[in-house]
């Protein structure tokens, strides 16, 4: 199976995607239309992120793929294998060793550096889509900077639930201009959107690419009396005792027992390797 | 690389197209994501008078779908044939161009290039400006991709300030010299230095 072009896509497709990425970086938060290709995986499995990664990878890169923070779930494993086979690049599960990280719905806990690139898989790139279904209208709303509807939505959250109930895909404003969907990352991750790495967003089915250059100003929408809060489950990790990481809740049995574990598997593993042990963690040397 | 008399329009392309273009794009992307920061780019050897950086950028980004404008000094049969053979891109008038190549004096005025529409600001021209690097900085850049500020030399200041004012519409620039390039997207705010 060595007969693929480097990184699967043909060169003309890569050039088209690369031009879209450059325009995306020049207009942070703006959704650039691109001619998304069919990929050998179904829509909803990261075809946008895969195309952006394919256009971005060089033979020297080390790729990491995560799905909800985990390196070992189906989506992450199959995309990692896809690029091992079609691009021949090195792969890793260690955040600090990766030069390109493709992610579904999380930002790694460890801070990324200037030489790293974070590629997001995006299902619905248009933050206004659930408020206004017509593309012609939402495009006009972005052009006119008409974002009142989004604030009404957040206000209705408060009036119905007493709080902004949006907990993931929490809308942000980029450089005081475009309202952007950060993809369905938990709002806990929103403050990390201002980072040193290049962030690229690919939506395959919806045929949009957008981007955030390093240190771009990204502000989560809120109100003066209801400021944005980056919330997480109020527990330490039961395996590594981390207080500062985003947690998944795992039901253990029918008796109501549950545990909370880091969603970032690499972060959790590296902490356990350093000797941190949580409530249900096993001592060093035991099976992980 | 040394340009020899034997060079033809068929030579000077990428020797490993997929790999050279991947490295070329990484340089272009890092440049666009960090305005004013210089990046190394190479792989192509265009006809005499054109920098390797500009030639490599053209081969990385251009194909039959992208129209190129060449200023009169660059609009030579040798470069036209080289672009036609290696990219297939048509050479057009500035009003229709997706990419433009030239020196600063000849590429101005900027008003003749497409700056995108309010709804599709991405439908704008990318200008590749050949100029010498290494002169003393005359402008300070701030904005996306720049941690605090970055001092650079620009061939002029006022036209780029005007371009940034029309954000999110506007033009994006690559400056090329030898085997180096740097970028100035429309999102960067520019103040004259000194």
């Amino acid at each position: 199976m060595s007969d693929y072009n480097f990184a699967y896509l043909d060169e003309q497709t890569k050039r088209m995607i690369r031009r879209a990425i450059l325009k995306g970086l020049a207009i942070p938060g703006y959704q650039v239309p691109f001619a998304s290709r069919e990929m050998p995986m179904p829509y909803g499995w990261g075809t946008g992120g895969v195309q952006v990664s394919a256009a971005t990878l060089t033979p020297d890169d080390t790729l990491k793929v995560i799905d909800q923070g985990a390196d070992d779930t189906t989506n992450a494993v199959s995309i990692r294998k896809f690029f091992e086979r079609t691009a021949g690049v090195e792969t890793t599960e260690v955040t600090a060793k990766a030069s390109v990280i493709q992610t579904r719905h999380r930002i790694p806990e460890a801070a990324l550096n200037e030489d790293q690139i974070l590629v997001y898989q995006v299902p619905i790139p248009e933050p206004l889509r659930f408020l206004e279904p017509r593309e012609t209208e939402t495009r006009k709303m972005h052009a006119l900077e008409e974002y009142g509807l989004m604030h009404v939505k957040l206000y209705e959250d408060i009036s119905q639930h007493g709080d902004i109930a949006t907990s993931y895909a929490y809308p942000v404003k980029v450089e005081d201009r475009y309202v952007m969907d950060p993809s369905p990352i938990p709002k806990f991750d929103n403050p990390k959107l201002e980072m040193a790495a290049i962030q690229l967003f690919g939506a395959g089915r919806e045929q949009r690419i957008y981007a955030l250059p390093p240190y771009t100003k990204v502000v989560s929408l809120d109100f003066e009396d209801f400021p944005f809060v980056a919330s997480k489950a109020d527990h330490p990790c039961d395996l590594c005792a981390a207080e500062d990481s985003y947690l998944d809740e795992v039901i253990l049995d029918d008796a109501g027992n549950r545990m909370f574990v880091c969603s970032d598997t690499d972060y959790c593993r590296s902490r356990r390797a350093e000797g941190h042990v949580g409530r249900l963690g096993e001592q060093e040397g035991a099976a992980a | 690389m040394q340009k020899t008399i034997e060079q033809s329009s068929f030579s000077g392309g990428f020797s490993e197209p997929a790999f050279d273009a991947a490295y070329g794009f990484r340089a272009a992307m890092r440049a666009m994501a960090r305005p004013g920061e210089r990046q190394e780019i190479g792989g192509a050897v265009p006809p005499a008078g054109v920098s390797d950086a500009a030639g490599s950028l053209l081969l990385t980004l251009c194909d039959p779908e992208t129209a190129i404008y060449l200023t009169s000094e660059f609009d030579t049969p040798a470069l036209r044939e080289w672009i036609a053979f290696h990219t297939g891109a048509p050479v057009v008038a500035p009003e229709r161009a997706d990419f433009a190549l030239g020196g600063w004096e000849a590429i101005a005025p900027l008003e003749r290039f497409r700056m995108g529409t309010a709804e599709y600001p991405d439908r704008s021209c990318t200008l590749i400006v050949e100029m010498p690097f290494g002169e003393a900085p005359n402008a300070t850049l701030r904005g996306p991709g720049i941690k605090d500020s970055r001092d650079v030399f620009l061939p002029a200041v006022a036209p780029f300030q005007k371009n940034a004012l029309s954000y999110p519409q506007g033009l994006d620039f690559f400056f090329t010299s030898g085997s180096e390039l740097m970028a100035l997207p429309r999102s960067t705010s520019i103040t004259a230095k000194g």
Side-chain angles (χ1 to χ4, degrees), chain B residues 142-164:
Chain B
R142 285 186 182 81
I146 303 168
K147 195 170 187 184
D148 300 305
S149 68
R150 187 170 287 137
D151 292 343
V152 297
F153 170 77
L154 298 177
V157 174
F160 297 109
Q161 288 174 322
K162 193 180 168 204
N163 179 56

Side-chain angles (χ1 to χ4, degrees), chain A residues 5-6 11-12 14-15 18-19 21-23 25-28 30 32-33 55-61 100 114-115 117 139-140 143 175 177-178 196 198 200 213-216, chain B residues 17-19 21-23 25-26 28-30 32-34 59-66 99 118-122 124-126 144-147 167-168 172 174 185-187:
Chain A
N5 188 32
F6 174 69
E11 288 305 299
Q12 190 161 355
K14 282 195 248 173
R15 277 192 294 270
R18 286 165 178 165
R19 292 193 294 261
I21 291 173
L22 290 181
K23 286 298 174 193
L25 285 166
I27 319 166
Y30 165 76
V32 185
T56 302
L57 282 174
T58 71
D60 302 338
D61 277 317
V100 176
E114 293 206 345
D115 293 321
I117 297 164
R139 201 151 268 281
K140 221 167 260 160
E175 287 288 327
R177 180 58 184 81
Y178 284 102
I198 297 172
L200 306 174
Y215 313 115
T216 299
Chain B
F19 296 154
Y23 290 120
F25 173 67
R26 180 60 61 86
M29 178 170 76
R30 288 179 61 95
M32 195 56 91
R34 304 183 214 293
L59 296 204
T60 300
L61 298 175
C62 296
D63 55 34
E65 294 174 357
T66 57
F99 289 88
E119 293 181 11
Y120 293 95
D122 58 303
S124 59
C125 187
T126 302
I146 303 168
K147 195 170 187 184
Y167 186 84
D172 307 309
F174 282 107
R186 65 194 80 177
S187 57

Side-chain angles (χ1 to χ4, degrees), chain A residues 5-251:
Chain A
N5 188 32
F6 174 69
Y8 186 77
L9 292 173
D10 60 283
E11 288 305 299
Q12 190 161 355
T13 297
K14 282 195 248 173
R15 277 192 294 270
M16 174 270 296
I17 294 170
R18 286 165 178 165
R19 292 193 294 261
I21 291 173
L22 290 181
K23 286 298 174 193
L25 285 166
I27 319 166
Y30 165 76
Q31 302 162 49
V32 185
F34 82 110
S36 179
R37 301 296 196 244
E38 290 224 17
M39 298 301 285
M41 60 194 75
Y43 288 131
W45 284 74
T47 56
V50 166
Q51 290 179 77
V52 169
S53 293
T56 302
L57 282 174
T58 71
D60 302 338
D61 277 317
T62 304
L63 179 71
K64 171 183 163 85
V65 185
I66 50 174
D67 173 4
Q68 300 272 17
D71 290 278
D72 53 3
T73 51
T74 312
N75 199 196
V77 170
S78 52
I79 291 174
R80 192 161 60 234
K81 286 215 164 115
F82 174 76
F83 281 117
E84 279 173 3
R85 195 152 142 184
T86 60
V89 291
E90 295 284 312
T91 56
T92 182
E93 295 191 4
V94 182
T95 303
K97 284 187 185 162
S99 55
V100 176
I101 303 172
Q102 181 171 331
T103 176
R104 172 177 175 272
H105 306 186
R106 268 317 304 279
I107 298 176
E109 303 292 352
L112 302 185
N113 66 44
E114 293 206 345
D115 293 321
Q116 292 178 303
I117 297 164
L118 187 58
V119 178
Y120 295 77
Q121 303 171 198
V122 183
I124 308 286
E126 177 51 74
L128 304 167
R129 183 59 71 234
F130 291 108
L131 307 171
E132 169 52 66
R134 289 166 295 180
E135 169 68 11
T136 48
E137 288 300 306
T138 53
R139 201 151 268 281
K140 221 167 260 160
M141 289 158 79
H142 283 294
L144 299 173
E145 231 178 317
E146 177 50 69
Y147 295 128
L149 207 52
M150 186 57 91
H151 279 101
V152 171
K153 190 231 175 215
L154 297 176
Y155 170 76
E156 286 186 347
D157 266 13
I158 295 169
S159 64
Q160 284 182 21
H161 308 289
D163 211 340
I164 296 180
T166 305
S167 58
Y168 65 94
Y170 191 102
V172 295
K173 196 162 202 183
V174 179
E175 287 288 327
D176 301 319
R177 180 58 184 81
Y178 284 102
V179 166
M180 186 191 95
D181 182 339
S183 87
I185 57 173
K187 67 177 170 182
F188 173 79
D189 282 342
N190 270 28
K192 291 188 244 165
L193 288 162
E194 288 188 3
M195 64 162 75
I198 297 172
Q199 297 171 82
L200 306 174
F201 299 77
R205 180 186 51 216
E206 303 291 322
Q207 313 202 324
R208 296 290 184 273
I209 284 171
Y210 50 106
L212 294 173
Y215 313 115
T216 299
K217 184 179 171 194
V218 181
V219 179
S220 303
L221 298 181
D222 62 358
F223 299 100
E224 275 177 24
D225 48 347
F226 279 87
F228 171 80
V229 180
S231 58
K232 66 180 266 285
D234 192 16
H235 290 269
C237 172
D238 282 331
L239 293 180
C240 77
E243 307 258 2
D244 57 351
S245 72
Y246 190 73
L247 303 173
D248 289 335
E249 184 179 3
V250 181
I251 307 293

Side-chain angles (χ1 to χ4, degrees), chain B residues 5-194:
Chain B
I5 194 84
E6 291 86 30
Q7 180 167 24
S8 74
S9 54
F10 308 122
S11 63
F14 285 153
S15 54
E16 293 272 7
F19 296 154
D20 289 344
Y23 290 120
F25 173 67
R26 180 60 61 86
M29 178 170 76
R30 288 179 61 95
M32 195 56 91
R34 304 183 214 293
E37 194 179 287
R38 287 197 225 164
Q39 306 289 336
E40 285 283 330
I41 185 172
V45 186
V50 184
S51 70
D52 289 1
S56 303
L57 202 52
L58 288 177
L59 296 204
T60 300
L61 298 175
C62 296
D63 55 34
E65 294 174 357
T66 57
I68 302 177
Y69 167 70
L70 301 172
T71 60
S72 54
E73 60 196 304
F74 284 85
D75 192 0
T76 60
L79 185 57
R80 271 184 180 248
E81 283 165 23
W82 190 78
I83 288 173
F85 179 75
H86 291 285
T87 73
V91 175
V92 298
E95 296 76 22
R96 288 182 50 215
D98 299 300
F99 289 88
L101 172 65
W104 174 248
E105 296 295 328
I107 217 162
L110 302 179
E111 285 72 25
R112 48 196 187 139
F113 297 100
R114 293 188 305 150
M115 58 185 287
T117 64
E119 293 181 11
Y120 293 95
D122 58 303
R123 295 177 183 174
S124 59
C125 187
T126 302
L127 277 63
I128 302 169
V129 180
E130 293 262 50
M131 69 170 198
F133 286 176
E135 291 193 49
N138 62 350
T140 302
L141 310 183
R142 285 186 182 81
I146 303 168
K147 195 170 187 184
D148 300 305
S149 68
R150 187 170 287 137
D151 292 343
V152 297
F153 170 77
L154 298 177
V157 174
F160 297 109
Q161 288 174 322
K162 193 180 168 204
N163 179 56
L165 279 179
S166 52
Y167 186 84
Q169 287 160 267
L171 307 170
D172 307 309
F173 299 86
F174 282 107
F175 301 100
T176 51
S177 178
S179 62
E180 283 189 306
L181 87 169
M182 70 171 199
L184 183 71
R186 65 194 80 177
S187 57
T188 304
S189 75
I190 304 144
T191 46
K193 212 172 136 63

